[in-house]
Amino acid sequence: MIENQKIRPAKVIGPLGEQLTIESLPPPSTTRWVVRRKAEVVAAVNGGLLSVDEVCERYGLTPEEFAGWQRAIDRSGMPGLRVTRIQHYNALYERQQKY
């Protein structure tokens, strides 16, 4: 009997145009999250390489934290992931939603 399994790609295109595989993603022990690493993990989920649950388990993230990364990329691209700019971008989008 064939189980209903989701077929996953072996590689996806990363945020800088490079090919990403599970092996090329940041290691599970990552504690310093720079913009590039966050963007690679988001690209892996968007491309179907990993699920949100797998990413959260692998990296010790909360679903809310990961959703914040996705939202930042959707709104502002990779610069939106910079910790020093989060307040700036949040204020910008709050002002835009008022109009």
Side-chain angles (χ1 to χ4, degrees):
M1 189 183 258
I2 298 175
E3 292 183 30
N4 186 11
Q5 295 180 353
K6 189 174 183 180
I7 297 173
R8 295 180 184 220
K11 38 187 139 167
V12 297
I13 302 299
L16 302 176
E18 75 285 12
Q19 291 187 352
L20 293 175
T21 63
I22 291 182
E23 293 79 28
S24 68
L25 289 174
S29 60
T30 301
T31 56
R32 186 166 182 269
W33 286 101
V34 296
V35 171
R36 180 187 50 80
R37 291 182 189 142
K38 291 177 185 179
E40 286 176 345
V41 172
V42 171
V45 170
N46 290 345
L49 196 59
L50 292 172
S51 70
V52 174
D53 292 335
E54 290 169 328
V55 164
C56 290
E57 184 178 325
R58 177 178 169 117
Y59 296 111
L61 303 172
T62 64
E64 293 80 16
E65 185 175 14
F66 181 76
W69 293 0
Q70 284 185 313
R71 205 169 29 255
I73 286 181
D74 289 345
R75 289 179 172 175
S76 307
M78 285 180 62
L81 291 170
R82 292 181 58 203
V83 173
T84 57
R85 301 298 290 173
I86 289 175
Q87 290 178 343
H88 169 75
Y89 287 117
N90 284 342
L92 177 68
Y93 284 108
E94 286 175 13
R95 283 196 307 269
Q96 287 178 348
Q97 288 181 348
K98 287 181 182 178
Y99 301 107

PDB file of all heavy atoms in Angstrom, residues 26-41 59 61 65 69 83:
ATOM      1  N   PRO A  26      21.511  26.563   7.748  1.00  0.00           N
ATOM      2  CA  PRO A  26      22.260  26.761   8.985  1.00  0.00           C
ATOM      3  C   PRO A  26      22.141  25.521   9.884  1.00  0.00           C
ATOM      4  O   PRO A  26      21.099  24.862   9.898  1.00  0.00           O
ATOM      5  CB  PRO A  26      21.584  27.964   9.637  1.00  0.00           C
ATOM      6  CG  PRO A  26      20.932  28.687   8.501  1.00  0.00           C
ATOM      7  CD  PRO A  26      20.541  27.631   7.521  1.00  0.00           C
ATOM      8  N   PRO A  27      23.200  25.203  10.630  1.00  0.00           N
ATOM      9  CA  PRO A  27      23.141  24.025  11.493  1.00  0.00           C
ATOM     10  C   PRO A  27      22.101  24.198  12.607  1.00  0.00           C
ATOM     11  O   PRO A  27      21.805  25.332  13.002  1.00  0.00           O
ATOM     12  CB  PRO A  27      24.555  23.916  12.070  1.00  0.00           C
ATOM     13  CG  PRO A  27      25.171  25.247  11.866  1.00  0.00           C
ATOM     14  CD  PRO A  27      24.481  25.888  10.706  1.00  0.00           C
ATOM     15  N   PRO A  28      21.554  23.096  13.121  1.00  0.00           N
ATOM     16  CA  PRO A  28      20.553  23.183  14.187  1.00  0.00           C
ATOM     17  C   PRO A  28      21.059  23.885  15.446  1.00  0.00           C
ATOM     18  O   PRO A  28      20.270  24.396  16.230  1.00  0.00           O
ATOM     19  CB  PRO A  28      20.207  21.723  14.488  1.00  0.00           C
ATOM     20  CG  PRO A  28      20.526  21.001  13.226  1.00  0.00           C
ATOM     21  CD  PRO A  28      21.697  21.730  12.631  1.00  0.00           C
ATOM     22  N   SER A  29      22.349  23.930  15.647  1.00  0.00           N
ATOM     23  CA  SER A  29      22.909  24.566  16.835  1.00  0.00           C
ATOM     24  C   SER A  29      23.053  26.085  16.694  1.00  0.00           C
ATOM     25  O   SER A  29      23.590  26.737  17.583  1.00  0.00           O
ATOM     26  CB  SER A  29      24.280  23.955  17.137  1.00  0.00           C
ATOM     27  OG  SER A  29      25.147  24.172  16.026  1.00  0.00           O
ATOM     28  N   THR A  30      22.554  26.657  15.610  1.00  0.00           N
ATOM     29  CA  THR A  30      22.693  28.089  15.360  1.00  0.00           C
ATOM     30  C   THR A  30      22.024  28.898  16.459  1.00  0.00           C
ATOM     31  O   THR A  30      20.867  28.662  16.799  1.00  0.00           O
ATOM     32  CB  THR A  30      22.087  28.469  13.992  1.00  0.00           C
ATOM     33  OG1 THR A  30      22.756  27.736  12.979  1.00  0.00           O
ATOM     34  CG2 THR A  30      22.206  29.946  13.715  1.00  0.00           C
ATOM     35  N   THR A  31      22.770  29.858  17.003  1.00  0.00           N
ATOM     36  CA  THR A  31      22.205  30.760  18.012  1.00  0.00           C
ATOM     37  C   THR A  31      22.307  32.213  17.564  1.00  0.00           C
ATOM     38  O   THR A  31      21.580  33.060  18.059  1.00  0.00           O
ATOM     39  CB  THR A  31      22.927  30.606  19.367  1.00  0.00           C
ATOM     40  OG1 THR A  31      24.320  30.833  19.178  1.00  0.00           O
ATOM     41  CG2 THR A  31      22.695  29.228  19.946  1.00  0.00           C
ATOM     42  N   ARG A  32      23.199  32.513  16.635  1.00  0.00           N
ATOM     43  CA  ARG A  32      23.361  33.873  16.134  1.00  0.00           C
ATOM     44  C   ARG A  32      22.672  33.963  14.783  1.00  0.00           C
ATOM     45  O   ARG A  32      23.149  33.437  13.783  1.00  0.00           O
ATOM     46  CB  ARG A  32      24.842  34.219  16.000  1.00  0.00           C
ATOM     47  CG  ARG A  32      25.070  35.650  15.624  1.00  0.00           C
ATOM     48  CD  ARG A  32      26.525  36.044  15.825  1.00  0.00           C
ATOM     49  NE  ARG A  32      26.702  37.433  15.502  1.00  0.00           N
ATOM     50  CZ  ARG A  32      27.025  37.888  14.300  1.00  0.00           C
ATOM     51  NH1 ARG A  32      27.234  37.046  13.314  1.00  0.00           N
ATOM     52  NH2 ARG A  32      27.156  39.171  14.086  1.00  0.00           N
ATOM     53  N   TRP A  33      21.535  34.640  14.764  1.00  0.00           N
ATOM     54  CA  TRP A  33      20.711  34.692  13.566  1.00  0.00           C
ATOM     55  C   TRP A  33      20.945  35.984  12.801  1.00  0.00           C
ATOM     56  O   TRP A  33      20.330  36.998  13.083  1.00  0.00           O
ATOM     57  CB  TRP A  33      19.235  34.536  13.927  1.00  0.00           C
ATOM     58  CG  TRP A  33      18.914  33.150  14.292  1.00  0.00           C
ATOM     59  CD1 TRP A  33      18.766  32.624  15.537  1.00  0.00           C
ATOM     60  CD2 TRP A  33      18.730  32.061  13.382  1.00  0.00           C
ATOM     61  NE1 TRP A  33      18.497  31.287  15.461  1.00  0.00           N
ATOM     62  CE2 TRP A  33      18.472  30.910  14.153  1.00  0.00           C
ATOM     63  CE3 TRP A  33      18.774  31.942  12.000  1.00  0.00           C
ATOM     64  CZ2 TRP A  33      18.244  29.668  13.580  1.00  0.00           C
ATOM     65  CZ3 TRP A  33      18.543  30.710  11.433  1.00  0.00           C
ATOM     66  CH2 TRP A  33      18.284  29.588  12.220  1.00  0.00           C
ATOM     67  N   VAL A  34      21.821  35.922  11.829  1.00  0.00           N
ATOM     68  CA  VAL A  34      22.036  37.070  10.942  1.00  0.00           C
ATOM     69  C   VAL A  34      20.968  37.043   9.851  1.00  0.00           C
ATOM     70  O   VAL A  34      20.280  36.035   9.651  1.00  0.00           O
ATOM     71  CB  VAL A  34      23.458  37.045  10.335  1.00  0.00           C
ATOM     72  CG1 VAL A  34      24.509  37.193  11.425  1.00  0.00           C
ATOM     73  CG2 VAL A  34      23.697  35.785   9.535  1.00  0.00           C
ATOM     74  N   VAL A  35      20.846  38.151   9.142  1.00  0.00           N
ATOM     75  CA  VAL A  35      19.805  38.300   8.123  1.00  0.00           C
ATOM     76  C   VAL A  35      19.851  37.169   7.100  1.00  0.00           C
ATOM     77  O   VAL A  35      18.820  36.585   6.752  1.00  0.00           O
ATOM     78  CB  VAL A  35      19.937  39.681   7.438  1.00  0.00           C
ATOM     79  CG1 VAL A  35      19.016  39.779   6.232  1.00  0.00           C
ATOM     80  CG2 VAL A  35      19.639  40.786   8.418  1.00  0.00           C
ATOM     81  N   ARG A  36      21.031  36.845   6.595  1.00  0.00           N
ATOM     82  CA  ARG A  36      21.157  35.813   5.562  1.00  0.00           C
ATOM     83  C   ARG A  36      20.635  34.470   6.052  1.00  0.00           C
ATOM     84  O   ARG A  36      19.917  33.767   5.326  1.00  0.00           O
ATOM     85  CB  ARG A  36      22.615  35.677   5.116  1.00  0.00           C
ATOM     86  CG  ARG A  36      22.823  34.621   4.045  1.00  0.00           C
ATOM     87  CD  ARG A  36      24.293  34.380   3.734  1.00  0.00           C
ATOM     88  NE  ARG A  36      25.118  34.146   4.897  1.00  0.00           N
ATOM     89  CZ  ARG A  36      25.217  32.969   5.546  1.00  0.00           C
ATOM     90  NH1 ARG A  36      24.520  31.930   5.146  1.00  0.00           N
ATOM     91  NH2 ARG A  36      25.991  32.844   6.592  1.00  0.00           N
ATOM     92  N   ARG A  37      20.970  34.081   7.272  1.00  0.00           N
ATOM     93  CA  ARG A  37      20.509  32.781   7.802  1.00  0.00           C
ATOM     94  C   ARG A  37      18.995  32.748   7.960  1.00  0.00           C
ATOM     95  O   ARG A  37      18.348  31.758   7.635  1.00  0.00           O
ATOM     96  CB  ARG A  37      21.187  32.493   9.140  1.00  0.00           C
ATOM     97  CG  ARG A  37      22.653  32.206   9.012  1.00  0.00           C
ATOM     98  CD  ARG A  37      23.246  31.872  10.365  1.00  0.00           C
ATOM     99  NE  ARG A  37      24.681  31.799  10.271  1.00  0.00           N
ATOM    100  CZ  ARG A  37      25.510  32.230  11.195  1.00  0.00           C
ATOM    101  NH1 ARG A  37      25.053  32.757  12.314  1.00  0.00           N
ATOM    102  NH2 ARG A  37      26.809  32.124  11.037  1.00  0.00           N
ATOM    103  N   LYS A  38      18.435  33.821   8.473  1.00  0.00           N
ATOM    104  CA  LYS A  38      16.977  33.885   8.607  1.00  0.00           C
ATOM    105  C   LYS A  38      16.318  33.752   7.234  1.00  0.00           C
ATOM    106  O   LYS A  38      15.358  33.003   7.063  1.00  0.00           O
ATOM    107  CB  LYS A  38      16.551  35.212   9.236  1.00  0.00           C
ATOM    108  CG  LYS A  38      16.917  35.376  10.686  1.00  0.00           C
ATOM    109  CD  LYS A  38      16.491  36.762  11.153  1.00  0.00           C
ATOM    110  CE  LYS A  38      16.929  37.053  12.560  1.00  0.00           C
ATOM    111  NZ  LYS A  38      16.523  38.420  12.991  1.00  0.00           N
ATOM    112  N   ALA A  39      16.838  34.491   6.269  1.00  0.00           N
ATOM    113  CA  ALA A  39      16.268  34.469   4.917  1.00  0.00           C
ATOM    114  C   ALA A  39      16.394  33.089   4.284  1.00  0.00           C
ATOM    115  O   ALA A  39      15.488  32.645   3.568  1.00  0.00           O
ATOM    116  CB  ALA A  39      16.954  35.525   4.045  1.00  0.00           C
ATOM    117  N   GLU A  40      17.489  32.383   4.537  1.00  0.00           N
ATOM    118  CA  GLU A  40      17.652  31.030   3.996  1.00  0.00           C
ATOM    119  C   GLU A  40      16.602  30.085   4.575  1.00  0.00           C
ATOM    120  O   GLU A  40      16.021  29.268   3.850  1.00  0.00           O
ATOM    121  CB  GLU A  40      19.048  30.498   4.305  1.00  0.00           C
ATOM    122  CG  GLU A  40      20.136  31.122   3.479  1.00  0.00           C
ATOM    123  CD  GLU A  40      21.528  30.668   3.859  1.00  0.00           C
ATOM    124  OE1 GLU A  40      21.714  30.071   4.944  1.00  0.00           O
ATOM    125  OE2 GLU A  40      22.450  30.923   3.071  1.00  0.00           O
ATOM    126  N   VAL A  41      16.348  30.194   5.867  1.00  0.00           N
ATOM    127  CA  VAL A  41      15.366  29.319   6.508  1.00  0.00           C
ATOM    128  C   VAL A  41      13.964  29.623   5.973  1.00  0.00           C
ATOM    129  O   VAL A  41      13.188  28.705   5.676  1.00  0.00           O
ATOM    130  CB  VAL A  41      15.438  29.445   8.047  1.00  0.00           C
ATOM    131  CG1 VAL A  41      14.298  28.707   8.715  1.00  0.00           C
ATOM    132  CG2 VAL A  41      16.781  28.927   8.552  1.00  0.00           C
ATOM    133  N   TYR A  59      15.376  24.418  14.976  1.00  0.00           N
ATOM    134  CA  TYR A  59      16.104  25.593  15.437  1.00  0.00           C
ATOM    135  C   TYR A  59      15.630  26.139  16.785  1.00  0.00           C
ATOM    136  O   TYR A  59      16.154  27.155  17.254  1.00  0.00           O
ATOM    137  CB  TYR A  59      16.029  26.699  14.382  1.00  0.00           C
ATOM    138  CG  TYR A  59      16.718  26.306  13.102  1.00  0.00           C
ATOM    139  CD1 TYR A  59      15.987  26.072  11.938  1.00  0.00           C
ATOM    140  CD2 TYR A  59      18.095  26.144  13.041  1.00  0.00           C
ATOM    141  CE1 TYR A  59      16.613  25.707  10.761  1.00  0.00           C
ATOM    142  CE2 TYR A  59      18.726  25.769  11.875  1.00  0.00           C
ATOM    143  CZ  TYR A  59      17.987  25.556  10.742  1.00  0.00           C
ATOM    144  OH  TYR A  59      18.616  25.179   9.575  1.00  0.00           O
ATOM    145  N   LEU A  61      12.727  27.521  17.517  1.00  0.00           N
ATOM    146  CA  LEU A  61      11.974  28.759  17.324  1.00  0.00           C
ATOM    147  C   LEU A  61      10.522  28.546  17.702  1.00  0.00           C
ATOM    148  O   LEU A  61      10.015  27.425  17.656  1.00  0.00           O
ATOM    149  CB  LEU A  61      12.024  29.189  15.855  1.00  0.00           C
ATOM    150  CG  LEU A  61      13.396  29.395  15.232  1.00  0.00           C
ATOM    151  CD1 LEU A  61      13.252  29.631  13.733  1.00  0.00           C
ATOM    152  CD2 LEU A  61      14.100  30.560  15.887  1.00  0.00           C
ATOM    153  N   GLU A  65       7.705  33.521  16.189  1.00  0.00           N
ATOM    154  CA  GLU A  65       8.983  34.108  15.802  1.00  0.00           C
ATOM    155  C   GLU A  65       9.246  33.867  14.310  1.00  0.00           C
ATOM    156  O   GLU A  65       9.626  34.782  13.576  1.00  0.00           O
ATOM    157  CB  GLU A  65      10.109  33.507  16.639  1.00  0.00           C
ATOM    158  CG  GLU A  65      11.461  34.126  16.411  1.00  0.00           C
ATOM    159  CD  GLU A  65      12.521  33.577  17.342  1.00  0.00           C
ATOM    160  OE1 GLU A  65      12.294  32.536  18.002  1.00  0.00           O
ATOM    161  OE2 GLU A  65      13.589  34.199  17.409  1.00  0.00           O
ATOM    162  N   TRP A  69       9.526  36.479  10.912  1.00  0.00           N
ATOM    163  CA  TRP A  69      10.551  36.499   9.865  1.00  0.00           C
ATOM    164  C   TRP A  69       9.889  36.517   8.492  1.00  0.00           C
ATOM    165  O   TRP A  69      10.278  37.289   7.625  1.00  0.00           O
ATOM    166  CB  TRP A  69      11.464  35.289   9.970  1.00  0.00           C
ATOM    167  CG  TRP A  69      12.338  35.224  11.167  1.00  0.00           C
ATOM    168  CD1 TRP A  69      12.422  36.126  12.186  1.00  0.00           C
ATOM    169  CD2 TRP A  69      13.272  34.186  11.475  1.00  0.00           C
ATOM    170  NE1 TRP A  69      13.351  35.697  13.112  1.00  0.00           N
ATOM    171  CE2 TRP A  69      13.879  34.520  12.703  1.00  0.00           C
ATOM    172  CE3 TRP A  69      13.630  33.005  10.850  1.00  0.00           C
ATOM    173  CZ2 TRP A  69      14.848  33.710  13.299  1.00  0.00           C
ATOM    174  CZ3 TRP A  69      14.591  32.199  11.437  1.00  0.00           C
ATOM    175  CH2 TRP A  69      15.194  32.553  12.646  1.00  0.00           C
ATOM    176  N   VAL A  83      17.567  43.330  12.919  1.00  0.00           N
ATOM    177  CA  VAL A  83      17.023  43.602  14.249  1.00  0.00           C
ATOM    178  C   VAL A  83      16.992  45.094  14.524  1.00  0.00           C
ATOM    179  O   VAL A  83      16.042  45.605  15.120  1.00  0.00           O
ATOM    180  CB  VAL A  83      17.842  42.862  15.334  1.00  0.00           C
ATOM    181  CG1 VAL A  83      17.399  43.252  16.718  1.00  0.00           C
ATOM    182  CG2 VAL A  83      17.730  41.365  15.141  1.00  0.00           C
TER     183      VAL A  83
END
